[in-house]
Amino acid sequence: MAHKFDVGQFVDLELNSLRSAVRGPYEIRHLIPASDRDPDDPCYRIKSVAEKHERVALESELTVARALSATGGHDRRQIAPFSA
């Protein structure tokens, strides 16, 4: 299955009681192929400006960042890109 989000796009991570994560937008850093377990749900490496580490998230746990949804999630002027 093709990925729904692109590298550099900003997304929101679904928060739940099993995962502690900061709120706010995450940048898609890498596309990861879907596993054989669930070929319709590819993975992504994502990074929040509020955390030093990257996370891996399933596509089903991500939505277009609310702050950027009016521009389709690709307007980088609203949020500064992360440093490497």
Side-chain angles (χ1 to χ4, degrees), residues 56-68:
V56 173
L58 295 169
E59 187 169 274
S60 60
E61 299 173 313
L62 303 174
T63 57
V64 173
R66 285 173 278 163
L68 305 174

Side-chain angles (χ1 to χ4, degrees), residues 18-72:
L18 300 176
R19 175 195 314 222
S20 63
V22 298
R23 293 188 185 276
Y26 287 79
E27 181 183 11
I28 301 288
R29 298 304 272 299
H30 301 283
L31 308 180
I32 301 172
S35 69
D36 292 335
R37 177 187 53 82
D38 192 353
D40 293 329
D41 202 8
C43 294
Y44 298 83
R45 280 195 151 296
I46 60 175
K47 170 92 174 59
S48 168
V49 70
E51 298 177 317
K52 293 184 178 186
H53 59 277
E54 292 183 345
R55 297 176 173 273
V56 173
L58 295 169
E59 187 169 274
S60 60
E61 299 173 313
L62 303 174
T63 57
V64 173
R66 285 173 278 163
L68 305 174
S69 61
T71 63

